[in-house]
Amino acid sequence: MNISKNWFLDEFKQIGKDYADQSEVDVYESSHAQFRDIYQESIDLLKTLNPSQEDKLIDFGCGTGIFAIESAKVCNKVYAVDISTEMLHYAQKKATQIDIHNIEFCHSGFLNFEIEDNSVNYITTTFSFHHLPDYWKGIALNRMYNMLKPRGILYIKDVVISEKNSLVNIQNFIDAQTEMGGDFLKEDAEIHFKEEFSTYDWILEGLVSRSGFKITSKKVELGLIAAYICIKE
Ligand SMILES: C[S@@+](CC[C@H](N)C(=O)[O-])C[C@H]1O[C@@H](n2cnc3c(N)ncnc32)[C@H](O)[C@@H]1O
């Protein structure tokens, strides 16, 4: 059956924090450096995933491109996908400056990016999947399942809510962000829970499993940040 995309969620509309705003893009890395080391996270993740020189990887919601660029150093080809052209330009400029040419920067998203089925070895997405409401997360997971080769790996890291003590955990998180980054990170965190679509761990895990993935590893910090390694069975 031909499914029209007329009634699909418009994923190009920024939800919550506006990453199409150049001033947000310009301060993204410095503001995040107050509470995370994106470069070290990227190196650690690549050590865990251990891709080879023949592998293809898609990074959805690539943002400023730190992970995409590090991946491109060890993979055959990287697709850096984002709905923000401002983020893509920022990332592309950095890649060009250091002579990295095996990244295809794609102005697209979880629900629109097109690639041949069974064609990539890895799909990663960090702190981006929560931009989709749950129904659309399910659709996106089915699409990502189809893109991956058999035994391909999906890595999702995001704000994912453990049910126990959720309100207290969220308030503690907002307070900690405020301590580290003042009003900017406070507002960042508040907008996240007020306007974006982070969901319960059991919902996300149900969606992942029902899409055909097996979750082989789950790491949780503060009852609020979860990282999943999932394999296409
Ligand atoms: C919080 S940033 C994360 C950037 C980077 N992955 C990181 O870990 O720092 C979220 C990114 O997801 C992008 N984004 C939002 N909705 C998206 C969608 N439906 N498909 C792809 N990217 C999306 C935003 O434009 C933004 O660049």
Side-chain angles (χ1 to χ4, degrees):
M1 189 187 180
N2 203 11
I3 307 285
S4 146
K5 282 198 171 171
N6 286 346
W7 52 268
F8 267 44
L9 176 82
D10 179 6
E11 64 172 339
F12 290 94
K13 207 164 100 192
Q14 290 279 341
I15 301 287
K17 193 92 185 175
D18 184 3
Y19 294 112
D21 177 342
Q22 188 62 47
S23 63
E24 291 292 352
V25 175
D26 292 338
V27 299
Y28 186 83
E29 289 183 0
S30 58
S31 62
H32 276 236
Q34 293 175 294
F35 67 97
R36 59 190 281 239
D37 181 342
I38 308 180
Y39 174 76
Q40 194 54 50
E41 282 173 22
S42 304
I43 299 297
D44 293 344
L45 178 56
L46 286 165
K47 246 186 226 156
T48 303
L49 299 180
N50 198 22
S52 80
Q53 290 285 348
E54 292 81 51
D55 286 344
K56 292 186 169 54
L57 179 149
I58 305 172
D59 188 34
F60 277 106
C62 66
T64 60
I66 297 178
F67 180 70
I69 289 172
E70 289 315 305
S71 310
K73 295 177 185 171
V74 293
C75 289
N76 174 264
K77 169 114 193 213
V78 172
Y79 299 88
V81 181
D82 205 291
I83 58 163
S84 160
T85 47
E86 291 73 10
M87 280 293 196
L88 290 168
H89 288 151
Y90 186 99
Q92 189 159 24
K93 195 169 157 200
K94 279 199 305 190
T96 308
Q97 274 165 357
I98 56 167
D99 260 339
I100 300 272
H101 300 291
N102 57 336
I103 305 178
E104 193 170 320
F105 291 92
C106 308
H107 183 225
S108 193
F110 295 104
L111 303 175
N112 285 284
F113 179 68
E114 295 287 350
I115 197 165
E116 203 181 317
D117 283 356
N118 301 310
S119 64
V120 299
N121 307 83
Y122 294 94
I123 296 181
T124 56
T125 184
T126 58
F127 297 106
S128 303
F129 205 38
H130 67 268
H131 287 98
L132 294 182
D134 287 352
Y135 173 72
W136 297 104
K137 287 189 184 88
I139 300 299
L141 283 162
N142 286 327
R143 300 187 84 245
M144 294 192 276
Y145 184 92
N146 291 337
M147 293 171 200
L148 281 165
K149 291 184 178 182
R151 313 295 293 167
I153 300 286
L154 168 67
Y155 176 81
I156 303 177
K157 184 172 189 179
D158 211 334
V159 176
V160 181
I161 303 165
S162 306
E163 204 160 1
K164 204 166 157 226
N165 297 326
S166 65
L167 289 170
V168 172
N169 286 340
I170 292 171
Q171 188 59 57
N172 284 341
F173 176 77
I174 293 170
D175 292 346
Q177 291 294 97
T178 310
E179 211 161 291
M180 284 184 280
D183 282 348
F184 184 90
L185 287 189
K186 177 176 191 270
E187 194 199 3
D188 218 43
E190 285 177 346
I191 286 177
H192 185 102
F193 294 101
K194 209 168 170 175
E195 296 178 22
E196 301 175 14
F197 302 110
S198 276
T199 195
Y200 285 120
D201 53 1
W202 55 271
I203 294 180
L204 185 64
E205 290 160 26
L207 291 168
V208 167
S209 305
R210 280 164 179 267
S211 303
F213 291 102
K214 181 176 178 187
I215 298 172
T216 57
S217 158
K218 173 185 178 184
K219 286 191 182 144
V220 183
E221 296 161 44
L222 310 168
L224 218 52
I225 311 285
Y228 297 96
I229 296 179
C230 319
I231 188 160
K232 173 172 174 171
E233 295 227 284

